[in-house]
Amino acid sequence: MNVFSVKKDANKIIILNTTPKKVLLRLILVTYEVSALTYNQERVPKMLHDEISINRELKENEKVEINSTIDTVKRVSIVYKDLENDVTLREDHEL
């Protein structure tokens, strides 16, 4: 069961806490796909990564909105702390 729901809306990434637990949202890792040119002028796909520090407590159904730098978001990874069990976890979402 996922703790978060992630969706993309225009140039924003919306992260929603879907559990009744309080969690501490620590870090969000965003992976973008871009095209790059090689020395031979061929287009190849490349992945760029962005790390966003949040450090904010989220209650049930509370959300965080983040501006995305580039429109081609491929993956969002969320690092959070479960405050009940005092453990830090990571959850990945493909978009």
Side-chain angles (χ1 to χ4, degrees):
M1 181 176 116
N2 288 337
V3 174
F4 298 98
S5 142
V6 178
K7 68 179 182 176
K8 200 174 111 186
D9 182 30
N11 285 339
K12 292 189 181 216
I13 300 168
I14 301 168
I15 299 171
L16 176 70
N17 180 8
T18 58
T19 65
K21 299 179 185 180
K22 262 187 4 185
V23 293
L24 177 63
L25 188 59
R26 291 188 180 249
L27 186 69
I28 297 172
L29 306 165
V30 183
T31 303
Y32 302 98
E33 184 177 20
V34 297
S35 293
L37 290 175
T38 64
Y39 291 115
N40 301 333
Q41 299 302 314
E42 296 175 23
R43 286 194 184 273
V44 293
K46 295 283 184 180
M47 297 297 201
L48 297 177
H49 305 282
D50 197 4
E51 186 176 301
I52 304 155
S53 181
I54 302 290
N55 288 322
R56 181 173 148 200
E57 234 177 68
L58 288 182
K59 299 174 186 154
E60 181 181 10
N61 294 324
E62 194 173 357
K63 67 181 177 180
V64 171
E65 292 185 6
I66 299 164
N67 292 328
S68 62
T69 314
I70 304 170
D71 192 37
T72 56
V73 176
K74 291 295 173 190
R75 178 184 303 141
V76 176
S77 299
I78 303 163
V79 178
Y80 66 98
K81 182 175 183 179
D82 183 348
L83 295 174
E84 287 180 8
N85 299 325
D86 198 32
V87 62
T88 299
L89 300 164
R90 176 179 171 157
E91 186 174 304
D92 295 325
H93 292 268
E94 298 285 331
L95 297 177

Coordinates of all heavy atoms in Angstrom, one line a residue:
M1 N 0.8 -1.2 0.0 CA 0.0 0.0 0.0 C 0.9 1.2 0.0 O 1.8 1.4 0.8 CB -0.9 0.0 1.2 CG -1.8 1.2 1.3 SD -2.9 1.0 2.7 CE -2.4 2.5 3.6
N2 N 0.6 2.2 -0.9 CA 1.3 3.4 -1.0 C 0.9 4.4 0.1 O -0.3 4.5 0.3 CB 1.2 4.0 -2.4 CG 1.9 3.3 -3.4 OD1 2.9 2.5 -3.1 ND2 1.5 3.4 -4.7
V3 N 1.8 5.1 0.6 CA 1.5 6.2 1.6 C 1.2 7.4 0.9 O 0.3 8.2 1.4 CB 2.8 6.4 2.5 CG1 2.6 7.6 3.4 CG2 3.1 5.1 3.3
F4 N 1.7 7.7 -0.3 CA 1.5 8.9 -1.0 C 0.9 8.6 -2.4 O 1.1 7.6 -3.0 CB 2.8 9.7 -1.3 CG 3.5 10.1 0.0 CD1 4.5 9.3 0.5 CD2 3.1 11.2 0.7 CE1 5.1 9.7 1.7 CE2 3.7 11.6 1.8 CZ 4.7 10.8 2.4
S5 N 0.1 9.6 -2.9 CA -0.4 9.6 -4.2 C 0.3 10.8 -4.9 O 0.4 11.9 -4.4 CB -1.9 9.8 -4.2 OG -2.4 10.6 -5.2
V6 N 0.8 10.6 -6.1 CA 1.6 11.6 -6.9 C 0.9 11.8 -8.2 O 0.6 10.8 -8.9 CB 3.0 11.2 -7.1 CG1 3.8 12.2 -7.9 CG2 3.7 10.9 -5.8
K7 N 0.7 13.1 -8.6 CA 0.2 13.4 -9.9 C 0.8 14.7 -10.4 O 1.3 15.5 -9.6 CB -1.4 13.4 -9.9 CG -2.0 14.6 -9.2 CD -3.5 14.6 -9.3 CE -4.1 15.7 -8.6 NZ -5.5 15.8 -8.8
K8 N 0.8 14.8 -11.7 CA 1.4 15.9 -12.4 C 0.2 16.8 -12.9 O -0.7 16.3 -13.6 CB 2.3 15.5 -13.5 CG 3.3 16.4 -13.9 CD 4.2 15.8 -14.9 CE 3.9 16.5 -16.2 NZ 4.5 16.0 -17.3
D9 N 0.3 18.1 -12.6 CA -0.7 19.0 -13.1 C 0.0 20.2 -13.7 O 0.6 21.0 -12.9 CB -1.6 19.4 -11.9 CG -2.7 20.3 -12.4 OD1 -3.2 20.2 -13.6 OD2 -3.2 21.2 -11.6
A10 N 0.0 20.4 -15.0 CA 0.7 21.4 -15.7 C 2.2 21.4 -15.3 O 2.9 20.4 -15.5 CB 0.1 22.8 -15.4
N11 N 2.7 22.4 -14.7 CA 4.1 22.4 -14.3 C 4.3 22.2 -12.8 O 5.3 22.7 -12.2 CB 4.8 23.8 -14.7 CG 5.1 23.8 -16.1 OD1 5.2 22.8 -16.8 ND2 5.2 25.0 -16.6
K12 N 3.4 21.5 -12.2 CA 3.4 21.2 -10.7 C 3.4 19.7 -10.5 O 2.7 19.0 -11.2 CB 2.3 21.9 -10.0 CG 2.4 23.4 -10.0 CD 1.4 24.0 -9.1 CE 1.6 25.5 -9.1 NZ 1.4 26.1 -7.9
I13 N 4.0 19.3 -9.5 CA 3.9 17.9 -9.0 C 3.2 18.0 -7.7 O 3.6 18.7 -6.8 CB 5.3 17.3 -8.8 CG1 6.1 17.3 -10.1 CG2 5.2 15.9 -8.2 CD1 7.6 16.9 -9.9
I14 N 2.1 17.2 -7.5 CA 1.2 17.2 -6.3 C 1.4 15.9 -5.6 O 1.2 14.9 -6.2 CB -0.2 17.5 -6.7 CG1 -0.3 18.8 -7.4 CG2 -1.1 17.5 -5.4 CD1 -1.7 19.0 -8.1
I15 N 1.8 16.0 -4.3 CA 2.0 14.8 -3.5 C 1.0 14.9 -2.4 O 1.0 15.9 -1.6 CB 3.5 14.8 -3.0 CG1 4.4 14.7 -4.1 CG2 3.7 13.6 -2.0 CD1 5.9 14.9 -3.8
L16 N 0.2 13.8 -2.2 CA -0.9 13.8 -1.2 C -0.6 12.6 -0.3 O -0.3 11.5 -0.7 CB -2.2 13.6 -1.9 CG -3.4 13.4 -1.1 CD1 -3.8 14.7 -0.4 CD2 -4.6 13.0 -1.9
N17 N -0.7 12.9 1.0 CA -0.6 11.8 2.0 C -1.9 11.1 2.1 O -3.0 11.7 2.4 CB -0.3 12.4 3.4 CG -0.2 11.4 4.5 OD1 -0.2 10.2 4.2 ND2 0.0 11.8 5.7
T18 N -2.0 9.8 1.7 CA -3.2 9.1 1.6 C -3.5 8.2 2.8 O -4.5 7.4 2.8 CB -3.2 8.2 0.4 OG1 -2.1 7.3 0.4 CG2 -3.2 9.0 -0.9
T19 N -2.7 8.2 3.8 CA -2.9 7.4 5.0 C -3.3 8.2 6.2 O -3.1 9.4 6.2 CB -1.5 6.7 5.4 OG1 -0.6 7.6 5.8 CG2 -1.0 5.8 4.3
P20 N -3.9 7.6 7.2 CA -4.3 8.4 8.4 C -3.1 8.7 9.3 O -3.3 9.5 10.3 CB -5.3 7.4 9.1 CG -5.0 6.1 8.6 CD -4.4 6.2 7.2
K21 N -1.9 8.3 9.0 CA -0.8 8.5 9.8 C -0.2 9.9 9.5 O -0.3 10.4 8.4 CB 0.3 7.5 9.5 CG 0.0 6.1 9.8 CD 1.2 5.3 9.4 CE 0.9 3.8 9.6 NZ 2.1 3.0 9.2
K22 N 0.5 10.5 10.5 CA 1.3 11.7 10.3 C 2.7 11.2 9.8 O 3.2 10.3 10.4 CB 1.4 12.5 11.6 CG 0.4 13.6 11.6 CD 0.5 14.6 12.7 CE 1.4 14.7 13.8 NZ 1.1 15.7 14.8
V23 N 3.2 11.9 8.8 CA 4.5 11.5 8.3 C 5.3 12.8 8.1 O 4.8 13.9 7.9 CB 4.5 10.8 6.9 CG1 3.9 9.4 7.1 CG2 3.8 11.6 5.9
L24 N 6.6 12.6 8.2 CA 7.5 13.8 8.0 C 8.1 13.6 6.6 O 8.9 12.7 6.4 CB 8.7 13.8 9.1 CG 9.7 14.8 8.9 CD1 9.1 16.2 9.1 CD2 10.8 14.6 9.9
L25 N 7.8 14.5 5.7 CA 8.2 14.5 4.4 C 9.6 15.1 4.4 O 9.8 16.3 4.6 CB 7.3 15.2 3.5 CG 7.5 15.2 2.0 CD1 7.4 13.7 1.5 CD2 6.4 16.0 1.3
R26 N 10.6 14.3 4.1 CA 12.0 14.8 4.2 C 12.6 15.3 2.9 O 13.1 16.4 2.8 CB 12.9 13.7 4.7 CG 12.7 13.4 6.1 CD 13.8 12.5 6.6 NE 13.5 12.1 8.0 CZ 14.3 12.5 9.0 NH1 15.3 13.3 8.7 NH2 14.0 12.2 10.2
L27 N 12.5 14.5 1.8 CA 13.2 14.8 0.6 C 12.4 14.3 -0.6 O 11.7 13.2 -0.5 CB 14.5 14.1 0.6 CG 15.5 14.3 -0.4 CD1 16.1 15.7 -0.4 CD2 16.7 13.3 -0.3
I28 N 12.4 15.0 -1.7 CA 11.8 14.5 -2.9 C 12.8 14.5 -4.0 O 13.5 15.5 -4.2 CB 10.6 15.4 -3.3 CG1 9.5 15.3 -2.2 CG2 10.0 15.0 -4.7 CD1 8.4 16.3 -2.4
L29 N 12.9 13.3 -4.7 CA 13.9 13.2 -5.8 C 13.1 13.1 -7.1 O 12.2 12.2 -7.2 CB 14.7 11.9 -5.6 CG 15.4 11.8 -4.3 CD1 15.9 10.4 -4.1 CD2 16.6 12.8 -4.3
V30 N 13.3 14.0 -8.0 CA 12.6 14.0 -9.3 C 13.5 13.7 -10.4 O 14.6 14.2 -10.5 CB 12.0 15.4 -9.5 CG1 11.1 15.4 -10.8 CG2 11.1 15.9 -8.3
T31 N 13.1 12.7 -11.3 CA 13.8 12.3 -12.4 C 13.1 12.8 -13.7 O 12.0 12.6 -13.9 CB 14.0 10.8 -12.5 OG1 14.6 10.3 -11.3 CG2 14.8 10.4 -13.7
Y32 N 13.9 13.6 -14.5 CA 13.4 14.1 -15.8 C 14.1 13.4 -16.9 O 15.2 13.0 -16.8 CB 13.7 15.6 -15.9 CG 13.2 16.5 -14.8 CD1 14.0 16.9 -13.8 CD2 11.9 16.9 -14.9 CE1 13.5 17.7 -12.8 CE2 11.4 17.8 -13.9 CZ 12.2 18.1 -12.8 OH 11.8 18.9 -11.8
E33 N 13.3 13.2 -18.1 CA 13.9 12.7 -19.3 C 14.1 13.8 -20.3 O 13.2 14.5 -20.6 CB 13.1 11.5 -19.9 CG 13.7 10.9 -21.0 CD 12.9 9.7 -21.6 OE1 11.7 9.7 -21.3 OE2 13.5 8.9 -22.3
V34 N 15.3 13.9 -20.8 CA 15.6 14.9 -21.8 C 16.3 14.3 -23.0 O 16.8 13.1 -22.8 CB 16.5 16.1 -21.2 CG1 15.7 16.8 -20.1 CG2 17.8 15.6 -20.7
S35 N 16.4 15.0 -24.1 CA 17.2 14.5 -25.2 C 18.5 15.3 -25.3 O 18.5 16.5 -25.1 CB 16.4 14.7 -26.5 OG 15.3 13.9 -26.6
A36 N 19.6 14.5 -25.6 CA 20.9 15.2 -25.7 C 21.4 14.8 -27.1 O 21.1 13.8 -27.7 CB 21.8 14.8 -24.6
L37 N 22.3 15.6 -27.6 CA 23.0 15.3 -28.9 C 24.4 14.8 -28.6 O 25.1 15.3 -27.7 CB 23.1 16.6 -29.7 CG 21.9 17.2 -30.3 CD1 22.1 18.5 -31.0 CD2 21.2 16.2 -31.3
T38 N 24.8 13.7 -29.3 CA 26.1 13.2 -29.2 C 27.0 13.9 -30.1 O 26.6 14.8 -30.8 CB 26.1 11.7 -29.6 OG1 25.7 11.6 -31.0 CG2 25.1 10.9 -28.7
Y39 N 28.3 13.5 -30.1 CA 29.3 14.2 -31.0 C 28.9 13.9 -32.5 O 29.3 14.7 -33.3 CB 30.7 13.6 -30.7 CG 31.2 14.0 -29.4 CD1 31.5 13.1 -28.4 CD2 31.5 15.4 -29.1 CE1 32.0 13.5 -27.2 CE2 32.0 15.8 -27.9 CZ 32.2 14.8 -26.9 OH 32.7 15.2 -25.7
N40 N 28.2 12.8 -32.7 CA 27.8 12.5 -34.1 C 26.4 13.2 -34.5 O 25.8 12.8 -35.5 CB 27.7 11.0 -34.3 CG 29.0 10.3 -34.0 OD1 30.1 10.9 -34.2 ND2 28.9 9.1 -33.6
Q41 N 26.0 14.0 -33.6 CA 24.7 14.7 -33.8 C 23.5 13.8 -33.8 O 22.5 14.0 -34.4 CB 24.7 15.6 -35.1 CG 25.7 16.6 -35.1 CD 25.6 17.6 -34.0 OE1 24.5 18.1 -33.7 NE2 26.7 18.0 -33.3
E42 N 23.6 12.7 -33.0 CA 22.5 11.8 -32.8 C 21.8 12.2 -31.5 O 22.4 12.5 -30.5 CB 23.0 10.3 -32.7 CG 23.6 9.8 -34.0 CD 24.2 8.5 -33.8 OE1 23.7 7.7 -32.9 OE2 25.1 8.1 -34.5
R43 N 20.5 12.0 -31.5 CA 19.7 12.3 -30.3 C 19.6 11.0 -29.4 O 19.3 10.0 -29.9 CB 18.3 12.7 -30.6 CG 18.2 14.1 -31.2 CD 16.7 14.6 -31.2 NE 16.6 15.9 -31.8 CZ 16.8 17.0 -31.1 NH1 17.0 17.0 -29.8 NH2 16.7 18.2 -31.7
V44 N 20.0 11.2 -28.2 CA 19.9 10.1 -27.2 C 19.2 10.6 -26.0 O 19.3 11.7 -25.6 CB 21.3 9.6 -26.8 CG1 22.0 8.9 -28.0 CG2 22.2 10.6 -26.3
P45 N 18.4 9.7 -25.3 CA 17.7 10.1 -24.1 C 18.7 10.1 -22.9 O 19.5 9.2 -22.8 CB 16.6 9.0 -23.9 CG 17.1 7.8 -24.7 CD 18.0 8.3 -25.8
K46 N 18.5 11.1 -22.1 CA 19.3 11.2 -20.8 C 18.4 11.5 -19.7 O 17.3 12.0 -19.9 CB 20.3 12.4 -21.0 CG 21.4 12.2 -22.0 CD 22.4 11.3 -21.5 CE 23.5 11.2 -22.5 NZ 24.6 10.3 -22.1
M47 N 18.8 11.1 -18.5 CA 18.0 11.3 -17.3 C 18.7 12.4 -16.4 O 19.9 12.3 -16.2 CB 17.8 10.1 -16.5 CG 17.1 9.0 -17.2 SD 15.4 9.5 -17.6 CE 14.6 7.9 -17.8
L48 N 17.9 13.4 -16.0 CA 18.4 14.4 -15.1 C 17.7 14.2 -13.8 O 16.5 13.8 -13.7 CB 18.1 15.8 -15.6 CG 18.7 16.2 -16.9 CD1 18.3 17.6 -17.3 CD2 20.3 16.2 -16.8
H49 N 18.4 14.5 -12.7 CA 17.8 14.3 -11.3 C 17.8 15.6 -10.6 O 18.8 16.3 -10.6 CB 18.6 13.2 -10.6 CG 18.7 11.9 -11.3 ND1 17.7 11.0 -11.4 CD2 19.7 11.4 -12.1 CE1 18.1 10.0 -12.1 NE2 19.3 10.2 -12.6
D50 N 16.8 15.8 -9.8 CA 16.7 17.0 -9.0 C 16.3 16.6 -7.6 O 15.5 15.7 -7.4 CB 15.6 17.9 -9.6 CG 15.6 19.3 -9.1 OD1 16.6 19.7 -8.4 OD2 14.7 20.1 -9.4
E51 N 16.9 17.2 -6.6 CA 16.7 16.8 -5.2 C 16.1 18.0 -4.5 O 16.7 19.1 -4.5 CB 18.0 16.4 -4.6 CG 17.9 15.9 -3.2 CD 19.3 15.5 -2.7 OE1 19.9 14.6 -3.3 OE2 19.7 16.0 -1.7
I52 N 14.9 17.8 -3.9 CA 14.2 19.0 -3.2 C 14.0 18.6 -1.8 O 13.4 17.6 -1.4 CB 12.9 19.2 -3.9 CG1 13.1 19.5 -5.4 CG2 12.2 20.4 -3.2 CD1 11.9 19.2 -6.2
S53 N 14.6 19.4 -0.9 CA 14.5 19.1 0.6 C 13.2 19.8 1.1 O 13.0 21.0 0.8 CB 15.7 19.7 1.3 OG 15.6 19.5 2.6
I54 N 12.4 19.1 1.8 CA 11.1 19.6 2.3 C 11.1 19.8 3.8 O 10.8 20.8 4.3 CB 9.9 18.7 1.8 CG1 9.9 18.5 0.3 CG2 8.6 19.2 2.3 CD1 9.5 19.8 -0.5
N55 N 11.3 18.7 4.5 CA 11.3 18.7 6.0 C 10.0 19.3 6.6 O 10.0 20.2 7.3 CB 12.5 19.3 6.6 CG 13.7 18.5 6.4 OD1 13.7 17.3 6.5 ND2 14.8 19.1 6.1
R56 N 8.9 18.7 6.2 CA 7.5 19.2 6.6 C 6.7 18.0 7.0 O 6.6 17.0 6.4 CB 6.9 20.0 5.5 CG 5.6 20.6 5.8 CD 5.1 21.4 4.7 NE 3.6 21.4 4.7 CZ 2.9 21.7 3.6 NH1 3.4 22.1 2.5 NH2 1.6 21.6 3.7
E57 N 5.9 18.2 8.1 CA 5.0 17.2 8.6 C 3.7 17.2 7.8 O 3.2 18.3 7.6 CB 4.7 17.4 10.1 CG 4.9 16.2 10.9 CD 4.7 16.5 12.4 OE1 3.5 16.7 12.7 OE2 5.7 16.5 13.1
L58 N 3.2 16.1 7.4 CA 2.0 16.0 6.6 C 1.0 15.1 7.4 O 1.3 14.0 7.8 CB 2.2 15.4 5.2 CG 2.9 16.2 4.2 CD1 3.0 15.4 2.9 CD2 2.3 17.5 3.9
K59 N -0.2 15.7 7.5 CA -1.3 14.9 8.1 C -2.1 14.2 7.1 O -1.8 14.3 5.9 CB -2.2 15.9 8.9 CG -1.5 16.6 10.0 CD -2.4 17.6 10.7 CE -1.6 18.4 11.7 NZ -2.2 19.7 11.9
E60 N -3.1 13.5 7.4 CA -4.0 12.8 6.5 C -4.6 13.7 5.5 O -5.1 14.8 5.8 CB -5.1 12.0 7.2 CG -6.0 11.2 6.3 CD -7.1 10.5 7.1 OE1 -7.3 10.8 8.3 OE2 -7.8 9.7 6.5
N61 N -4.5 13.4 4.2 CA -5.1 14.1 3.1 C -4.5 15.5 2.9 O -5.1 16.4 2.3 CB -6.6 14.2 3.2 CG -7.3 12.9 3.0 OD1 -6.8 12.1 2.2 ND2 -8.3 12.6 3.7
E62 N -3.3 15.8 3.5 CA -2.6 17.0 3.3 C -1.7 16.9 2.1 O -1.1 15.8 1.9 CB -1.8 17.4 4.6 CG -1.3 18.8 4.6 CD -0.7 19.2 5.9 OE1 -0.7 18.4 6.8 OE2 -0.2 20.3 6.0
K63 N -1.5 17.9 1.3 CA -0.7 17.8 0.1 C 0.4 18.9 0.1 O 0.3 19.9 0.8 CB -1.6 17.9 -1.1 CG -2.2 19.3 -1.3 CD -3.1 19.2 -2.6 CE -3.8 20.6 -2.8 NZ -4.6 20.6 -3.9
V64 N 1.4 18.6 -0.8 CA 2.5 19.5 -1.1 C 2.6 19.6 -2.6 O 2.5 18.6 -3.3 CB 3.8 18.9 -0.5 CG1 5.0 19.7 -1.0 CG2 3.8 18.8 1.0
E65 N 2.7 20.9 -3.0 CA 2.9 21.1 -4.4 C 4.3 21.6 -4.7 O 4.7 22.5 -4.0 CB 1.8 22.2 -4.9 CG 0.4 21.7 -4.9 CD -0.6 22.7 -5.4 OE1 -0.2 23.7 -6.0 OE2 -1.8 22.4 -5.3
I66 N 4.9 21.1 -5.7 CA 6.3 21.4 -6.1 C 6.3 21.8 -7.6 O 5.7 21.2 -8.4 CB 7.2 20.3 -5.9 CG1 7.2 19.9 -4.4 CG2 8.6 20.6 -6.4 CD1 7.8 18.5 -4.2
N67 N 6.9 22.9 -7.9 CA 7.1 23.3 -9.3 C 8.1 22.4 -9.9 O 9.2 22.2 -9.4 CB 7.5 24.8 -9.4 CG 6.5 25.7 -8.9 OD1 5.3 25.5 -9.1 ND2 6.9 26.8 -8.3
S68 N 7.7 21.9 -11.1 CA 8.7 21.1 -11.8 C 9.5 21.9 -12.8 O 8.9 22.8 -13.5 CB 8.0 19.9 -12.6 OG 7.1 20.4 -13.5
T69 N 10.8 21.7 -12.9 CA 11.6 22.5 -13.7 C 11.4 22.2 -15.2 O 11.4 23.1 -16.0 CB 13.1 22.2 -13.4 OG1 13.2 22.2 -12.0 CG2 14.0 23.2 -13.9
I70 N 11.2 21.0 -15.5 CA 11.1 20.5 -16.9 C 9.8 19.7 -17.0 O 9.4 19.1 -16.0 CB 12.3 19.7 -17.4 CG1 13.6 20.4 -17.2 CG2 12.1 19.2 -18.8 CD1 14.8 19.6 -17.4
D71 N 9.1 19.7 -18.1 CA 7.8 19.1 -18.2 C 7.8 17.6 -18.3 O 6.9 16.9 -18.0 CB 7.1 19.6 -19.5 CG 5.6 19.3 -19.6 OD1 5.0 19.3 -18.5 OD2 5.1 19.0 -20.7
T72 N 9.0 17.0 -18.6 CA 9.1 15.6 -18.8 C 9.5 14.8 -17.6 O 10.5 14.1 -17.5 CB 10.1 15.3 -20.0 OG1 11.3 15.9 -19.6 CG2 9.6 15.8 -21.3
V73 N 8.6 14.8 -16.6 CA 8.9 14.1 -15.3 C 8.6 12.6 -15.5 O 7.6 12.3 -16.0 CB 8.0 14.7 -14.2 CG1 8.2 13.9 -12.9 CG2 8.3 16.1 -13.9
K74 N 9.6 11.8 -15.2 CA 9.4 10.3 -15.4 C 9.2 9.6 -14.0 O 8.5 8.6 -14.0 CB 10.6 9.7 -16.1 CG 10.7 10.2 -17.5 CD 9.6 9.6 -18.3 CE 9.6 10.1 -19.7 NZ 8.4 9.8 -20.4
R75 N 9.9 10.1 -13.0 CA 9.8 9.4 -11.7 C 9.9 10.4 -10.6 O 10.6 11.3 -10.6 CB 10.9 8.4 -11.6 CG 10.9 7.6 -10.2 CD 12.1 6.7 -10.1 NE 12.1 5.7 -11.1 CZ 13.3 5.3 -11.7 NH1 14.4 5.8 -11.3 NH2 13.3 4.4 -12.7
V76 N 9.1 10.1 -9.5 CA 9.2 10.9 -8.3 C 9.5 9.9 -7.1 O 8.7 8.9 -6.9 CB 7.9 11.7 -8.0 CG1 8.0 12.4 -6.7 CG2 7.6 12.6 -9.1
S77 N 10.5 10.1 -6.4 CA 10.9 9.3 -5.2 C 10.7 10.2 -4.0 O 11.2 11.3 -4.0 CB 12.3 8.8 -5.3 OG 12.5 8.0 -6.4
I78 N 10.0 9.6 -3.0 CA 9.7 10.4 -1.8 C 10.4 9.7 -0.6 O 10.2 8.5 -0.4 CB 8.2 10.4 -1.5 CG1 7.5 11.0 -2.7 CG2 7.9 11.2 -0.3 CD1 6.0 10.8 -2.8
V79 N 11.2 10.5 0.1 CA 11.9 10.0 1.3 C 11.1 10.6 2.5 O 11.0 11.8 2.6 CB 13.4 10.4 1.4 CG1 14.0 9.9 2.7 CG2 14.1 9.8 0.2
Y80 N 10.6 9.7 3.4 CA 9.8 10.2 4.5 C 10.1 9.4 5.7 O 10.6 8.4 5.7 CB 8.3 10.2 4.1 CG 7.8 8.8 4.0 CD1 7.1 8.1 5.0 CD2 8.0 8.1 2.8 CE1 6.6 6.9 4.9 CE2 7.5 6.8 2.6 CZ 6.8 6.2 3.7 OH 6.3 4.9 3.6
K81 N 9.6 10.0 6.9 CA 9.8 9.3 8.2 C 8.4 9.0 8.7 O 7.6 9.9 8.8 CB 10.5 10.2 9.1 CG 10.8 9.6 10.5 CD 11.7 10.4 11.4 CE 11.9 9.7 12.7 NZ 12.8 10.5 13.5
D82 N 8.2 7.8 9.0 CA 6.9 7.3 9.7 C 7.1 7.7 11.1 O 7.9 7.1 11.8 CB 6.7 5.8 9.5 CG 5.5 5.3 10.1 OD1 4.8 6.1 10.8 OD2 5.1 4.2 9.8
L83 N 6.3 8.6 11.6 CA 6.5 9.2 13.0 C 6.0 8.2 14.0 O 6.5 8.2 15.2 CB 5.7 10.5 13.1 CG 6.3 11.6 12.2 CD1 5.5 12.9 12.3 CD2 7.7 11.9 12.6
E84 N 5.1 7.3 13.7 CA 4.6 6.3 14.7 C 5.7 5.2 14.9 O 5.9 4.8 16.1 CB 3.4 5.6 14.1 CG 2.1 6.4 14.2 CD 0.9 5.7 13.7 OE1 1.0 4.5 13.4 OE2 -0.1 6.3 13.5
N85 N 6.4 4.7 13.9 CA 7.4 3.7 14.0 C 8.8 4.2 14.1 O 9.7 3.4 14.2 CB 7.2 2.7 12.9 CG 5.9 2.0 12.9 OD1 5.3 1.8 13.9 ND2 5.3 1.8 11.7
D86 N 9.0 5.5 13.9 CA 10.3 6.1 13.9 C 11.3 5.5 13.0 O 12.4 5.1 13.3 CB 10.8 6.1 15.4 CG 11.9 7.1 15.5 OD1 11.9 8.2 14.8 OD2 12.9 6.9 16.3
V87 N 10.8 5.3 11.7 CA 11.7 4.7 10.7 C 11.6 5.6 9.4 O 10.5 6.1 9.1 CB 11.2 3.2 10.4 CG1 9.8 3.2 9.9 CG2 12.2 2.5 9.5
T88 N 12.7 5.7 8.7 CA 12.8 6.5 7.5 C 12.6 5.5 6.3 O 13.3 4.5 6.2 CB 14.1 7.3 7.4 OG1 14.1 8.2 8.5 CG2 14.1 8.1 6.1
L89 N 11.7 5.8 5.3 CA 11.4 5.0 4.2 C 11.5 5.8 2.9 O 11.5 7.0 2.9 CB 10.0 4.4 4.4 CG 9.8 3.5 5.6 CD1 8.3 3.3 5.9 CD2 10.5 2.2 5.5
R90 N 11.5 5.0 1.8 CA 11.5 5.6 0.5 C 10.4 5.0 -0.4 O 10.2 3.8 -0.3 CB 12.8 5.4 -0.2 CG 12.9 6.0 -1.6 CD 14.2 5.7 -2.2 NE 14.2 6.0 -3.6 CZ 15.3 6.4 -4.3 NH1 16.4 6.4 -3.7 NH2 15.2 6.6 -5.6
E91 N 9.6 5.8 -1.1 CA 8.6 5.3 -2.0 C 8.8 5.9 -3.4 O 8.9 7.1 -3.5 CB 7.2 5.8 -1.4 CG 6.0 5.2 -2.1 CD 4.7 5.6 -1.4 OE1 4.6 5.3 -0.2 OE2 3.9 6.2 -2.0
D92 N 8.7 5.1 -4.4 CA 8.9 5.5 -5.8 C 7.6 5.5 -6.5 O 6.8 4.6 -6.4 CB 10.0 4.6 -6.5 CG 11.3 4.7 -5.9 OD1 11.7 5.8 -5.4 OD2 12.0 3.7 -5.8
H93 N 7.5 6.5 -7.4 CA 6.3 6.6 -8.3 C 6.7 6.9 -9.7 O 7.5 7.8 -9.9 CB 5.4 7.7 -7.8 CG 4.7 7.5 -6.5 ND1 3.5 6.9 -6.4 CD2 5.1 7.7 -5.2 CE1 3.2 6.8 -5.1 NE2 4.2 7.3 -4.4
E94 N 6.3 6.1 -10.6 CA 6.5 6.3 -12.1 C 5.4 7.1 -12.6 O 4.2 6.8 -12.3 CB 6.6 5.0 -12.8 CG 7.7 4.0 -12.4 CD 9.1 4.5 -12.9 OE1 9.2 5.1 -13.9 OE2 10.1 4.2 -12.2
L95 N 5.7 8.1 -13.4 CA 4.6 8.9 -14.0 C 4.6 8.7 -15.5 O 5.5 8.3 -16.1 CB 4.9 10.4 -13.7 CG 4.8 10.8 -12.2 CD1 5.2 12.3 -12.1 CD2 3.5 10.5 -11.6

